[in-house]
Amino acid sequence: MTRRALVTGAAGFIGSHLVDALLIRGFQVVALDRRNDTDNLADARRYRQFTFAHADLTRDDPGEWVAGCDTVFHFAAPPEDALTDHLTATSRLLDACEAAGVRRFVYASCASVYGTPGPNRETDPLAPTTAHGQAIQISEQLCLCRGIPTGATMSVAALRYGEVYGPRQHPTALIPRIMRAARTKTPIDLYGDAGHRQPLYVSDAVRAALAAATVEVREAAVNVAGSHTVDLDELVAIVRTVTGLPVPVSGDHQRSDHAGTTVDLFNACFLLGFRPRISLPDGLRRYGMVTADPAKRNASRRRRNAPRWG
């Protein structure tokens, strides 16, 4: 029997990669997104078991899309200008999932819920320092609460992602900016980006989500991040080594109050059986190969992705 899954935020960075992975594994996938730009789903549209739902969960009834789903992956990120909308959407989606008998709900949370440099453990207090982090924290708690009651039929896993990078990432994110500076020889201003981080390649982020769909838990929050902790100078140095190009940096990037957020990964290994497979240098190398020449990348992708009817 073909398994059915719903992915919200499916046209986004991590969501679109998750859709691709589910389709490759034989799932029937409903990809839901409020945006009109769905270029990231070009490969997914080649599959017969793929359905795209253009919808806004703050006003559209999600009942028809969650019907028959074994797993729902809520990867829609809170819009910066409408954080309360994310809470409304999450609550409505949870209600629909419970009514439809969904077995597992996987929520894409974020390490920003901690609000401290770390390394943070899942049992540490949550004290987000931004409105975005607060919206994620509240939404995460809304999700986890659904798995607590003894008679709950739906279990919940919340993945507190660190800094994820890779193809399809927004160009204003840190690693795309650094890679672009190396290629174009254009100085990059890194003011405000200082601090330690654990970059995680997107394929590993997807692997963690797939593991969270099957792990035996009622409700659990799990840190997911790369195993390589670096500060900003180390990250720039690795980009230089991987690309063989200088990275021109302008200004004093160390003048920042931002200390970064790092996390402890014991539970990711213990509960999910998850360890990152892609090292930071290897991930940056892969990312650089994909983004260096869009024309060659698209031609290669067309050859590689002939229609696959699963």
Side-chain angles (χ1 to χ4, degrees), residues 241-275:
T241 300
V242 166
T243 63
L245 299 169
V247 180
V249 177
S250 64
D252 182 4
H253 62 268
Q254 296 297 350
R255 290 177 55 236
S256 171
D257 294 330
H258 176 65
T261 300
T262 60
V263 295
D264 180 271
L265 298 177
F266 176 80
N267 279 348
C269 179
F270 180 74
L271 290 179
L272 301 184
F274 170 79
R275 294 179 186 272

Side-chain angles (χ1 to χ4, degrees), residues 7-8 33 55 61 64 105 123 146 156 189 205-206 211 235 237 245 296 300-301 304:
V7 179
T8 72
D33 207 293
D61 182 5
E64 65 175 288
F105 191 96
T123 53
R146 301 298 180 109
V156 179
D189 184 359
V206 168
L235 177 58
L245 299 169
K296 290 182 179 179
S300 174
R301 186 174 66 180
R304 198 173 58 244

